[in-house]
């Protein structure tokens, strides 16, 4: 993509927030887990917005050190008193059943039932979210208020679920660009009715893919994966080892719709282009934000950044998982996630990806002293103040550092100017003939070996 156009304005008005929230709301009622029909139904709904390829991997498939588990499906679950009243009802919240619970159907004393109940004593009206993927248990998650109302001696307990050989399901969308090198965007689709942890990342990813699809040209190819957490990324990586060399960088998207400032967690190297792009976009966003170093804990970046895979994949979220009280509870709902927060995160992602698209390297064609900008109409108000002054500073930085060895991101970092200013200045200078794009250097060593070989020594 050689034509330079203005960056996406972070302040530009749009209705994306409402669209993003609508998709979250549509997917919210579905009972997802790491396998099963809830994941399929989620992908089918996504398919209506984006032509995702849906893949099925059989239970028992070996994926690195793991095995694709049996498929879990649930139809109904209840705790009934002996009058037949449902005092806990899966139909009211799918969080009531611990994910991957074994089927149950019998009368039992409260003393036995209590051993299978999980609550949040600090938040008595919230339901916790629990899973038991890799050990065979069953359990109910209830509010502390529901627990204290269980006073009968016996209850009828039912979980109408199956755990049997089937498949792990994931979705994938590939968008080709000028380069076969790819940017990977990954979000997990394995949580039931939880909005921030799960659906916010899915929704932002879907709308990013739709936006990228509308661009007239793309420098990079893009691969979006919608996968169950951990086992899904391990499965995807195991099945796509021959493609990994093409992945230049990427991001895991999760937790983007709640309150709290944006957080970017760096990839394992900490110095990848995506790490620097995210840092500079967030820094110049005009809002509070945080950059964190890599750690081998978190979402699927744990797998993408495992030592044998070592992809340059970071993670963008708002308040990180586990650091807000609503995390993994029924309070992570449609009120917790707002259109404004979703849209702010979506705009930040757009700006980061736009930076990757526009981070070209140029060569100043008039490097012998400063070129005369006034004669070219580029130096209208030197000595002025404010915006025009910073535009001119951006041009001077671009001219000075465009020696074929510095990308526009390098120049933005060195000048402390927003990438957008640097990119806009480069576009003006390119139009005036003062700047030419450095041809792609095969070994990417950075040293200009261009058309004339000028000042490459
Ligand atoms: Zn989670």
């Amino acid at each position: 993509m050689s034509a330079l156009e203005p960056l996406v304005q972070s302040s530009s008005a749009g209705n994306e927030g409402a669209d993003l929230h609508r998709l979250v709301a549509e997917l919210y009622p579905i009972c997802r887990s790491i396998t099963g029909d809830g994941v399929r139904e989620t992908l089918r709904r996504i398919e209506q917005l984006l032509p995702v390829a849906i893949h099925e991997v059989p239970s028992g498939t070996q994926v690195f050190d793991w095995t694709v588990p049996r498929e879990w499906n649930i139809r109904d679950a209840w705790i009934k008193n002996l009058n037949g009243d449902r005092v806990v009802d899966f139909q009211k919240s799918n969080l009531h059943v611990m994910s991957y619970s074994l089927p149950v159907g019998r009368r039992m004393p409260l003393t036995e039932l209590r051993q299978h109940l999980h609550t949040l004593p600090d938040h008595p009206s919230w339901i916790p979210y629990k899973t038991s993927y890799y050990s065979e248990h069953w359990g109910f998650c209830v509010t502390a208020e529901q627990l204290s109302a269980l006073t009968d001696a016996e209850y009828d307990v039912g979980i109408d679920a199956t755990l049997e050989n089937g498949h792990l399901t994931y979705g994938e969308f590939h968008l080709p660009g000028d380069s076969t090198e790819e940017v990977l965007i990954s979000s997990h689709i394995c949580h039931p009715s939880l909005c921030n942890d799960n659906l916010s990342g899915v929704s932002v990813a879907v709308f990013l893919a739709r936006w990228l699809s509308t661009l007239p040209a793309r420098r990079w190819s893009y691969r979006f994966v919608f996968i169950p957490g951990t086992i899904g990324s391990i499965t995807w990586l195991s099945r796509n080892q021959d493609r990994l060399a093409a992945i230049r960088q990427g991001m895991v998207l999760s937790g983007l719709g709640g309150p709290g400032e944006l957080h970017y967690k760096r990839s394992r190297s900490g110095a990848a282009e995506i790490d620097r792009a995210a840092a500079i976009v967030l820094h110049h966003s005009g809002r509070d934000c945080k950059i964190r170093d890599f750690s081998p804990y978190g979402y699927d970046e744990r797998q993408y950044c495992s030592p044998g895979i070592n992809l340059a994949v970071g993670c963008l979220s708002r308040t990180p998982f586990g650091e807000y009280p609503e995390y993994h509870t029924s309070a992570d709902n449609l009120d917790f996630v707002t259109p404004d927060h979703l849209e702010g995160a979506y705009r930040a992602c757009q700006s980061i990806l736009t930076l990757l698209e526009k981070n070209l390297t140029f060569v100043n064609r008039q490097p012998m002293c400063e070129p005369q900008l006034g004669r070219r109409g580029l130096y209208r108000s030197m000595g002025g103040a404010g915006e025009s002054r910073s535009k001119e500073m951006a041009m001077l930085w671009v001219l000075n550092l465009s020696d074929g060895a510095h990308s526009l991101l390098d120049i933005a970092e060195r000048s402390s100017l927003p990438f957008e200013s640097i990119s806009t200045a480069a576009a003006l200078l390119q139009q005036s003939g003062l700047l030419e794009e450095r041809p792609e250097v095969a070994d990417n060593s950075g040293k200009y070996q261009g058309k004339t070989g000028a000042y490459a020594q």
Side-chain angles (χ1 to χ4, degrees), residues 32-41 43 54-61 63 67-73 100 134 162-171 189-190 227-228 231-232 235 239:
R32 282 162 293 269
S33 185
I34 53 172
T35 62
D37 289 333
V39 176
R40 290 190 189 94
E41 176 65 14
L43 290 170
I54 298 176
H55 299 269
E56 300 274 359
V57 184
S59 304
T61 303
V63 287
T67 306
V68 173
R70 287 181 291 169
E71 182 178 325
W72 186 71
N73 282 292
Y100 262 68
Y134 301 107
T162 48
L163 182 60
E164 52 198 17
N165 282 332
H167 295 83
L168 176 149
T169 313
Y170 66 84
I189 50 163
C190 52
I227 48 171
I231 188 65
T235 300
R239 286 162 56 92

Side-chain angles (χ1 to χ4, degrees), residues 366-399:
Q366 293 287 344
M368 309 302 275
C369 300
E370 288 181 4
Q372 202 180 355
L373 296 179
R375 175 157 60 83
R376 297 176 172 89
L378 295 171
Y379 216 60
R380 285 178 296 249
S381 54
M382 194 48 146
E387 197 182 349
S388 61
R389 165 91 178 149
S390 72
K391 276 183 189 165
E392 284 150 7
M393 283 310 297
M395 277 191 281
L396 295 176
W397 275 109
V398 171
L399 285 167

Side-chain angles (χ1 to χ4, degrees), residues 191 197 327-328:
H191 290 32
D197 184 9
Y327 172 73
H328 278 191

